[in-house]
Amino acid sequence: MRAAADDALPPTASLTLTATVNGQNARLGDEFQGFSVESADFAHGFLTRERMAERLRTLGPHGVIRLGGYSMDLVWPAFGAWSDAPAPPQAIGGTVDQSDLNGLKQLLDDTGWKVTLGAPLKTVIDPSKIKNPARDPSPDVSLDQVVAEVAAAYETLGGDLLGVELGNEYDNVTTLTDAEMWETAKQYQAAIDRALPQARLKVIAPSANTAKTNTRLDGFVTAALADEATNPQQVLSELASHWYPWSHCGSSRVTIDQLMSPLTYTNTRSKLAGIMAVGDRLPGTIPMTLNESNSASCSGMPEVSNSYATSLWSLDYLLQAAQSGVDRLQFHTNTAAICGDFQPRDSADYPISYRYYGAFCAADQSALDANELSATPLYYGIWAFRQVPQGRFVDLDLADADLDKLRAYAVMGLNGTLTVVLINVQDPARAESAYDAVTLQLPSSYRTGQQVTLRSSAPEGFASLDAGRITLGDRTVTPAGTAAGTAQSTAVPVEHTSSTVTVAPGTAQIITFSH
């Protein structure tokens, strides 16, 4: 960490923000955050109460797990007529059976979380529509086999099963047109409805790739609206998108500076605005979700996606997405990996291997065997986000010119409290980084203010890979998944409708103003 000289004040940037109540702004609910987990993790029995419950409970009693990802087409569903059928060699993601559903049921009961189920796509559609049949060949799963798994899942999970996702990034692996994808969604939903008419389960689509534009999402909705015989609300439980602001696919690289840059923020803002504009075209209300997301696609960027910088980036991104009106954001993560143990793509262990952007990982094999998964920097950012209570977003007039110094959000709680989150996005390890002295012009008079700080004590600043140096209100997360330490907050001076808060480089302040 950069330390100021004893006889000199640290460099400081002064900013003034005015908070304005806008009754039309998005609401922050209690099920906004969640995780996207590979179907292979589910098939290997990793989603159990023993392994995951404490890690989810620490983030709160509500959330949604998405089962899917790259391995959605690489698992073998062993249900119904296929219960005793041997898995073909292409099922490198493993076999999903009733024991996996039973373990998942215990986890959901224990935490209050819910789930969406990913369904294979590639072997159900016309084989001529597969882009590259030789790459990642899939086990021959039929639509009837998919429906058998959905029926078992509904019988086991009941209302905790929110929907069935139709494939993963179909535009990357198939040549289906927008209209063909819509017809396929209708085909799946009709088959599920015939088998489970009482469940009223719907499908989740289109889950297209992570492009900066929303062309596929827009085309899918255009096809749905052109279908005069079917209301999209009869088919869709969510309109799902994916978003990774950066990539580590092929020769692509990303740096910490890029991740924390105003460009990442403004590109994400454009992506989110486009998603909401597409959603506004639909009649009624269909939730708009980012059901797979993180810092860099293709498992993240080493020494970036697993660095302390992602704590602040993820807190910023969660608040930005919620403020846009998106209904849910789910970070893709591993659930049973040793930190840094990344497997090559041609390995049978690849679908369940380490992801640099994962929320938790085990220090070594003995820790993994003991279900001790340490929190990563990403987890701390999500944990910080969960300190912001439900309510409606309040406008703050932060200029784009100041995005290289600060990110700022405000939420008016149901009881009239105002929670302001200020994130200093300057690297604390750099001498030129400045403290942000932020004067807040509040929408009404407040008597008290208390702040909780997200910080790292590591001298490497944003580049630190030591999550053990991160604290939230002086608390840490143990390898057992529980919060340790005594929660600490400090008073913030407030004079009726004005308060000035100083935010150190590389920290976030979560400030609650009360009447």
Side-chain angles (χ1 to χ4, degrees):
M1 285 279 188
R2 171 184 52 76
D6 292 340
D7 58 350
L9 293 174
T12 301
S14 297
L15 302 95
T16 298
L17 302 178
T18 299
T20 306
V21 175
N22 183 340
Q24 302 303 309
N25 283 350
R27 284 192 173 277
L28 176 60
D30 62 357
E31 287 191 353
F32 181 81
Q33 108 290 345
F35 289 115
S36 168
V37 174
E38 288 288 336
S39 297
D41 284 42
F42 178 42
H44 283 74
F46 297 151
L47 295 181
T48 63
R49 178 174 58 193
E50 294 77 12
R51 186 180 298 271
M52 297 300 300
E54 292 295 347
R55 290 150 193 87
L56 300 185
R57 277 200 297 260
T58 295
L59 297 179
H62 303 285
V64 179
I65 300 170
R66 173 245 188 180
L67 303 176
Y70 149 83
S71 59
M72 196 183 296
D73 280 295
L74 299 176
V75 298
W76 180 252
F79 299 94
W82 296 267
S83 295
D84 299 319
Q90 297 91 340
I92 65 170
T95 296
V96 176
D97 59 22
Q98 187 61 44
S99 67
D100 300 311
L101 289 173
N102 293 342
L104 180 60
K105 170 65 172 172
Q106 291 180 342
L107 175 65
L108 301 181
D109 286 348
D110 203 45
T111 61
W113 284 45
K114 299 183 186 300
V115 70
T116 64
L117 180 67
L121 172 68
K122 287 168 62 178
T123 58
V124 174
I125 64 173
D126 182 344
S128 68
K129 296 291 182 178
I130 302 300
K131 279 187 177 180
N132 186 352
R135 184 180 185 184
D136 301 327
S138 303
D140 189 10
V141 178
S142 66
L143 182 55
D144 287 342
Q145 192 172 354
V146 169
V147 171
E149 179 182 8
V150 173
Y154 179 74
E155 181 179 347
T156 306
L157 307 176
D160 288 340
L161 177 61
L162 299 181
V164 180
E165 186 179 5
L166 178 55
N168 180 68
E169 298 186 358
Y170 79 97
D171 50 329
N172 278 340
V173 296
T174 80
T175 61
L176 291 173
T177 65
D178 299 323
E180 289 170 338
M181 184 61 178
W182 169 244
E183 289 299 320
T184 303
K186 289 169 56 180
Q187 178 190 9
Y188 272 66
Q189 197 280 326
I192 293 169
D193 198 47
R194 285 193 297 271
L196 298 165
Q198 75 283 5
R200 298 186 179 182
L201 279 172
K202 301 175 185 178
V203 300
I204 299 166
S207 301
N209 72 40
T210 185
K212 292 179 181 179
T213 64
N214 293 293
T215 304
R216 287 298 190 186
L217 186 70
D218 190 56
F220 180 77
V221 168
T222 297
L225 294 175
D227 183 358
E228 297 180 357
T230 307
N231 185 329
Q233 288 183 291
Q234 296 173 309
V235 177
L236 299 171
S237 63
E238 297 175 21
L239 196 64
S241 298
H242 293 181
W243 174 238
Y244 293 83
W246 296 97
S247 173
H248 187 214
C249 303
S251 61
S252 298
R253 299 292 184 268
V254 60
T255 65
I256 288 175
D257 285 348
Q258 289 174 316
L259 181 66
M260 302 303 293
S261 69
L263 179 62
T264 297
Y265 181 94
T266 55
N267 282 346
T268 298
R269 183 172 63 191
S270 296
K271 177 71 173 183
L272 294 168
I275 289 171
M276 295 310 298
V278 172
D280 287 344
R281 298 176 56 203
L282 291 166
T285 301
I286 296 176
M288 308 295 292
T289 63
L290 287 160
N291 71 344
E292 181 183 318
S293 191
N294 219 301
S295 53
S297 53
C298 292
S299 297
M301 185 74 201
E303 299 183 354
V304 177
S305 299
N306 55 339
S307 72
Y308 170 59
T310 61
S311 293
L312 298 186
W313 167 77
S314 57
L315 172 60
D316 179 34
Y317 178 31
L318 280 160
L319 287 163
Q320 184 185 22
Q323 185 173 248
S324 77
V326 168
D327 289 272
R328 190 186 315 126
L329 169 58
Q330 290 160 283
F331 284 107
H332 203 52
T333 184
N334 40 249
T335 62
I338 297 172
C339 302
D341 185 23
F342 187 80
Q343 301 293 322
R345 190 178 178 90
D346 58 358
S347 167
D349 292 329
Y350 175 76
I352 56 171
S353 72
Y354 177 69
R355 303 289 188 259
Y356 292 102
Y357 51 49
F360 16 68
C361 57
D364 51 34
Q365 186 62 50
S366 63
L368 183 60
D369 294 341
N371 291 326
E372 293 180 349
L373 301 177
S374 299
T376 69
L378 173 67
Y379 187 95
Y380 277 92
I382 302 170
W383 190 28
F385 168 77
R386 291 296 292 165
Q387 310 311 303
V388 182
Q390 296 181 60
R392 190 181 293 276
F393 279 92
V394 171
D395 289 334
L396 289 176
D397 55 345
L398 179 68
D400 280 5
D402 293 322
L403 289 173
D404 61 339
K405 306 180 190 69
L406 184 73
R407 311 294 161 80
Y409 304 89
V411 175
M412 183 71 71
L414 304 179
N415 59 357
T417 60
L418 180 70
T419 300
V420 177
V421 181
L422 303 175
I423 308 169
N424 187 326
V425 293
Q426 300 168 87
D427 192 340
R430 293 182 176 175
E432 67 271 20
S433 295
Y435 283 64
D436 291 330
V438 184
T439 298
L440 297 166
Q441 302 297 342
L442 306 173
S444 62
S445 181
Y446 290 90
R447 296 183 62 187
T448 63
Q450 291 286 327
Q451 68 183 11
V452 172
T453 305
L454 174 66
R455 61 161 61 93
S456 169
S457 62
E460 299 87 354
F462 281 165
S464 170
L465 305 181
D466 186 357
R469 304 290 290 272
I470 304 172
T471 58
L472 176 63
D474 288 344
R475 305 184 81 191
T476 61
V477 178
T478 71
T482 58
T486 302
Q488 298 290 332
S489 64
T490 57
V492 173
V494 55
E495 292 291 336
H496 303 296
T497 60
S498 180
S499 176
T500 298
V501 181
T502 300
V503 190
T507 69
Q509 301 287 4
I510 303 170
I511 311 149
T512 302
F513 294 102
S514 302
H515 292 293

